[in-house]
Amino acid sequence: MTRRPAIDARAIHPFHLSVTQAGPPRLARHPKDGWRLADPYPLSANARRVLHAVVRAMCPPSPAPRSYDLMHRVELGARRLLRYMHPVVARCLELGLFVLDWLPILTLSSTLRLHALGSARTSALLARWSHGRIKTLRLLMQGMRGMILSAYFDQSEVHAAMHYDPVAFMHERVALRKKLLAPALRGAE
Amino acid sequence: MLSYDDYGKDTVFDTDVVVVGTGAGGAVAGAELAEAGRDVLFVEEGSHHPTSSFNPYLTESIPRLYRDGAATVILGNPPIPYAEGRTVGGSTVINGGMAYRAPERVLEQWARSTGIDALGPRALDPLYERVEKRVHASLQHEESIGNDSRLMAKGALQMGWKTTVNRRAQRACAGANNCGFGCPTGAKQSTLVSYVPAAFAAGAGCLTDVRAERLIIEQGRCRGIVGRAIDPATRRPSHTVTVRARAVVVACGAVQTPYLLLRHKLGRPSRQLGKNFLCHPNAKVLAIYPFDIEGWKGVSQHTQIREFTGDGILMAENFVAPGALAAHLPFHGAEAWEIMQRMNQMLISGVLVEDSGSGTVSRSLFGMAEARYSLTELDHRRFLRGTKLLAQMHFALGAEKVILPFSTFPLARNVDDLARLDERSAPREALDVFTVHLMGTARMGSSPRDSVVGPGGELWDLPGCYVADASLFPTAIGVNPQLTVMALATHVASRLELAREAA
């Protein structure tokens, strides 16, 4: 049997302790378990401007939930997700934002860059490129849509508008599981 | 269990066996070895997230639990996004927990084609039994079954199709339907709550937040691994963590395992390392009904339609969270909202196809694993057939419309629309597929001429280095692979031999 080094695998570090503690599920956003969400991906000012335009064009218009704060959270969520992607993939998406910005001019669809167009016009162009012939562009649009819509449809006010309330349901199910387990636990006693 | 802040500069550990990965393969091999008295140290790239931290929010669960923010794609025609777990418990934390044995015909073929009796149904039977007992493979409790599952079963019955009720790795599952983001009740018996605690109880340790980057090879034998701790704030690799060991078990999954091994140009005798990549591609078929189903209430998948498995087609319901669902729709803006606001009236079903072709995994110039796979003509036809059959079932049940997985043919409003669905209207490149079953890149065999590892899971050209994950599969199995990965990992653990002494 070989020996471990000086660091004990059961050592108690403040961060480590909070991560490993167990207990009943709280089902809350940002559970205080010591885990740190990474900082948002450091996009250039231009890329942020384009992302801002794409977020506004891709997120559903009113009567769907839509507010400045909501759009800001979606944008932040997308930038955080970029941080967790492989650096090459994140860089490709950043480059993709640059390409999308110039695409209206390059395809003679407009005299303005994407970030300067209105939301409705941007949305129409994005839809056209999503179903276009160029595979790489379709893949880029799929990536953008995934990154943005997954963040939008994860927000509480959007859940409420869809009559989707997973937390209340999960609390019910935690109680149901206790009930299902009770006979086995009584038997064990 | 240690995490990022615990590592000093250039920390070195010493152990009997280092196991890279804590998923269905690594956790099982590690627990078996620890219980057999070996000193075991796991190395896990992800962090440790206990049951109490799980919640239904995608924007937090994806960064916590998934590799590369789930932005992972197999390149080819069509490109196939895939998802893998990156957390203590690996993909077992985020999968549906289906506990199926590989079909007997598949295992018989494995034994025949590889010449390894241990891969046959009779030899694997006791291993399956052992694993099933440890993960409580069992049927769902009646109260956990949701309306979507009941409707799907009704549809299959109406069409006269054969179905099977899922056995799942669960203990008193109440159907919280959060399998993809971690089970918040602790019912799903992922390795996080089954094998990993068992390994710890037997004295194993775990280094979390460490990505294994290379093997230590000395005098022709594998003597450990060198990894880098990942800074949680920037996700950048920082200081080096070294683990010296008398044997190394690589269990990083069918993409990351060959990626690690190819760094050392291993698998030379057969040149099969990274080849034979299989992925059970699957596609979603969403049906919108004129009544409420609330598919998010109840177990994520209760029944599978097995009528067409002989033709390589498996069908089932599988609810996913709204964020994940919207990400896969071919729409955005108002169109996406029109569909998503009816989520409560939606039945999400899917078609899984047993691969008739294979792909490759290699190391790209950009420092990432590059998976390539193109759907065969046969599999494309299988998708067309499976999609059409499922859509017909939904219309027979009264669905208003069905969203199909083809960018050129995204919507069917009635059965007549389906008549136009063919190879021309829905070509292969327009298919929107996804996968979570990655297999076969370091196949097991009895000869170094046509396989990567021998009958005990040890690399032919690197003694002391074992593989214990889905990479070992010689072929696709057509059903959920978790139980087979666990059975093979149990087999590998039983055959592992330590070097006489550490170098």
Side-chain angles (χ1 to χ4, degrees), chain B residues 327-382:
Chain B
H328 285 279
L329 287 178
F331 310 109
H332 65 257
E335 274 183 299
W337 180 248
E338 192 190 326
I339 291 163
M340 290 300 296
Q341 68 174 335
R342 296 193 64 187
M343 199 185 75
N344 281 338
Q345 299 169 324
M346 203 181 276
L347 200 167
I348 306 174
S349 55
V351 179
L352 180 148
V353 159
E354 188 179 331
D355 317 50
S356 66
S358 65
T360 58
V361 173
S362 58
R363 291 179 70 91
S364 81
L365 294 174
F366 306 109
M368 61 190 291
E370 184 179 300
R372 287 192 170 270
Y373 180 101
S374 283
L375 214 63
T376 62
E377 292 296 330
L378 172 63
D379 290 346
H380 176 223
R381 284 198 298 275
R382 284 170 165 170

Side-chain angles (χ1 to χ4, degrees), chain B residues 136-205:
Chain B
H136 295 263
S138 50
L139 300 176
Q140 285 294 130
H141 194 278
E142 190 67 18
E143 286 182 68
S144 70
I145 304 165
N147 291 338
D148 60 336
S149 296
R150 293 184 195 283
L151 190 59
M152 191 79 176
K154 183 181 162 192
L157 186 70
Q158 202 167 307
M159 303 295 279
W161 294 341
K162 190 170 71 187
T163 58
T164 185
V165 174
N166 290 331
R167 292 182 83 208
R168 298 179 64 243
Q170 53 91 16
R171 188 161 173 249
C173 169
N177 207 338
N178 201 51
C179 294
F181 297 158
C183 179
T185 68
K188 185 173 74 175
Q189 297 299 291
S190 64
T191 57
L192 173 70
V193 298
S194 56
Y195 276 96
V196 170
F200 285 179

Side-chain angles (χ1 to χ4, degrees), chain A residues 1-5 7 9 13 16 19 23 25 28 30 33 39 58 84 86 123 145 154 163 173 176-177, chain B residues 1 6 14-16 39-40 48 52 55 58-60 64 68 143 171 174 184-185 187 329 332-333 344 367-368:
Chain A
M1 182 88 55
T2 50
R3 283 179 45 200
R4 295 270 166 76
I7 296 177
H13 183 280
H16 168 241
V19 168
H30 318 303
D33 63 353
D39 307 328
M58 280 196 165
Y84 285 90
H86 192 283
S123 178
R145 216 168 41 229
D154 194 50
H163 307 290
R173 292 295 150 144
L176 173 61
R177 181 165 192 256
Chain B
M1 182 153 15
D6 298 321
D14 203 352
T15 186
D16 281 348
D39 189 23
V40 172
H48 175 235
S52 58
N55 64 39
L58 176 143
T59 41
E60 293 182 13
R64 282 166 174 263
D68 296 346
E143 286 182 68
R171 188 161 173 249
T185 68
L329 287 178
H332 65 257
N344 281 338
M368 61 190 291

Side-chain angles (χ1 to χ4, degrees), chain B residues 265 306 400:
Chain B
K265 299 189 168 43
R306 294 292 185 94
E400 277 177 19

Side-chain angles (χ1 to χ4, degrees), chain A residues 1-5 7-11 13 15-16 19-31 33 35-39 57-61 64-65 81 83-89 123 126-127 131 135 138-139 142 145-146 149-156 158-159 161-167 169-170 173-174 176-177 179-181, chain B residues 1-3 5-6 11-16 37 39-41 47-50 52-60 62-64 68-69 71 76 79 81 86 141 143-144 171-176 178 184-187 203 205 232-236 246 296-298 322-323 326-327 329-334 337 340 343-344 366-368 407 429 432:
Chain A
M1 182 88 55
T2 50
R3 283 179 45 200
R4 295 270 166 76
I7 296 177
D8 182 352
R10 283 169 289 274
H13 183 280
F15 168 61
H16 168 241
V19 168
T20 55
Q21 71 193 2
R26 290 178 287 274
L27 302 172
R29 285 186 196 269
H30 318 303
D33 63 353
W35 187 74
R36 283 165 287 185
L37 203 56
D39 307 328
M58 280 196 165
C59 289
L81 201 56
R83 185 66 101 168
Y84 285 90
M85 294 177 189
H86 192 283
V88 175
V89 176
S123 178
L126 295 176
H131 299 104
K135 192 163 101 178
R138 282 204 313 266
L139 193 60
Q142 199 177 343
R145 216 168 41 229
L149 292 188
S150 64
Y152 176 82
F153 282 100
D154 194 50
Q155 304 303 318
S156 297
V158 180
H159 285 179
M162 292 164 64
H163 307 290
Y164 172 65
D165 185 7
V167 171
F169 173 69
M170 281 178 200
R173 292 295 150 144
V174 170
L176 173 61
R177 181 165 192 256
K179 194 184 97 183
L180 295 177
L181 271 178
Chain B
M1 182 153 15
L2 302 180
S3 56
D5 290 347
D6 298 321
T11 317
V12 181
F13 295 84
D14 203 352
T15 186
D16 281 348
D39 189 23
V40 172
L41 199 52
S47 304
H48 175 235
H49 299 289
S52 58
S53 71
F54 295 146
N55 64 39
Y57 302 112
L58 176 143
T59 41
E60 293 182 13
I62 294 279
R64 282 166 174 263
D68 296 346
R86 183 175 61 189
H141 194 278
E143 286 182 68
S144 70
R171 188 161 173 249
C173 169
N178 201 51
T185 68
T234 63
R235 301 298 308 158
R236 298 277 179 200
R246 294 163 69 192
W296 46 280
K297 294 182 173 177
L329 287 178
F331 310 109
H332 65 257
W337 180 248
M340 290 300 296
M343 199 185 75
N344 281 338
F366 306 109
M368 61 190 291
S407 61
E429 56 271 22
D432 181 14

Side-chain angles (χ1 to χ4, degrees), chain A:
Chain A
M1 182 88 55
T2 50
R3 283 179 45 200
R4 295 270 166 76
I7 296 177
D8 182 352
R10 283 169 289 274
I12 293 174
H13 183 280
F15 168 61
H16 168 241
L17 174 68
S18 54
V19 168
T20 55
Q21 71 193 2
R26 290 178 287 274
L27 302 172
R29 285 186 196 269
H30 318 303
K32 287 181 182 157
D33 63 353
W35 187 74
R36 283 165 287 185
L37 203 56
D39 307 328
Y41 189 82
L43 288 174
S44 67
N46 189 47
R48 285 179 68 174
R49 213 162 41 210
V50 186
L51 179 65
H52 188 79
V54 175
V55 164
R56 270 148 191 77
M58 280 196 165
C59 289
S62 187
R66 201 172 161 101
S67 64
Y68 178 82
D69 178 50
L70 176 60
M71 294 298 110
H72 177 69
R73 270 181 278 138
V74 171
E75 214 173 303
L76 204 63
R79 284 182 58 205
R80 274 201 206 285
L81 201 56
L82 278 170
R83 185 66 101 168
Y84 285 90
M85 294 177 189
H86 192 283
V88 175
V89 176
R91 191 50 66 93
C92 284
L93 283 169
E94 187 181 4
L95 188 69
L97 286 170
F98 175 79
V99 172
L100 288 181
D101 196 24
W102 284 95
L103 218 49
I105 294 174
L106 294 175
T107 57
L108 306 177
S109 306
S110 170
T111 52
L112 297 172
R113 277 155 65 184
L114 194 81
H115 76 263
L117 297 173
S119 283
R121 179 78 181 121
T122 308
S123 178
L125 284 175
L126 295 176
R128 192 207 294 173
W129 299 333
S130 295
H131 299 104
R133 283 188 187 171
I134 305 166
K135 192 163 101 178
T136 315
L137 193 55
R138 282 204 313 266
L139 193 60
L140 173 64
M141 292 310 303
Q142 199 177 343
M144 292 289 171
R145 216 168 41 229
M147 196 167 72
I148 292 165
L149 292 188
S150 64
Y152 176 82
F153 282 100
D154 194 50
Q155 304 303 318
S156 297
E157 56 267 59
V158 180
H159 285 179
M162 292 164 64
H163 307 290
Y164 172 65
D165 185 7
V167 171
F169 173 69
M170 281 178 200
H171 279 302
E172 264 176 43
R173 292 295 150 144
V174 170
L176 173 61
R177 181 165 192 256
K178 269 188 197 155
K179 194 184 97 183
L180 295 177
L181 271 178
L185 293 177
R186 272 199 301 272
E189 281 167 15

